Amino acid sequence: MDYMGKAILSSKVKGVTKEFGFPDDSEEKPVVDHEKEAEEERKRAEQKARRDDVQNKKKADRAAKRNEVREKYGLKESKNDTKMVEDHGTKPEQGEESKCLVM
């Protein structure tokens, strides 16, 4: 019952405010700055491109490492991994395992 009363009362108040010429707050539209939106969109695109580059480099490093393991154990090569390494031209990072330590 409270909901119905509130709905009826609010509709009557809206009607009265319009008759007296008071602006309705819900009808105000925010000002859109197209230049600012375009700048934000460009920044988002640049950030996405940077994230994609980093992700692709990581994938290529992993593919190169998998290729090394395949060569080491005489397994067949993966065309996808080979193509990814060729596209990004990366070599796997030297981990502690592959470093030669002399004591």
Side-chain angles (χ1 to χ4, degrees):
M1 188 66 181
D2 290 333
Y3 178 73
M4 291 297 291
K6 188 176 182 180
I8 292 170
L9 182 63
S10 66
S11 67
K12 296 290 183 185
V13 170
K14 284 182 184 178
V16 170
T17 57
K18 286 182 183 178
E19 288 176 7
F20 288 119
F22 294 116
D24 190 14
D25 292 337
S26 63
E27 293 181 9
E28 291 182 18
K29 295 181 181 179
V31 177
V32 179
D33 187 9
H34 295 290
E35 293 176 4
K36 188 175 182 181
E37 284 184 8
E39 180 68 22
E40 288 176 3
E41 183 66 29
R42 186 186 60 77
K43 285 181 182 178
R44 274 188 249 124
E46 287 176 1
Q47 290 172 351
K48 184 180 182 323
R50 274 189 248 124
R51 286 192 307 267
D52 288 346
D53 288 342
V54 169
Q55 186 69 23
N56 288 334
K57 184 179 180 329
K58 286 180 183 179
K59 286 181 181 180
D61 288 342
R62 292 181 193 127
K65 191 67 173 172
R66 284 192 298 269
N67 282 342
E68 283 184 3
V69 171
R70 285 188 184 103
E71 287 177 16
K72 181 178 179 181
Y73 293 106
L75 302 173
K76 66 179 184 175
E77 291 184 15
S78 171
K79 293 178 183 177
N80 292 339
D81 286 348
T82 305
K83 184 179 183 308
M84 189 175 294
V85 171
E86 289 173 358
D87 289 346
H88 295 285
T90 61
K91 295 196 174 206
E93 296 178 6
Q94 295 278 328
E96 290 182 19
E97 301 171 359
S98 62
K99 291 182 182 176
C100 180
L101 300 175
V102 178
M103 291 190 180

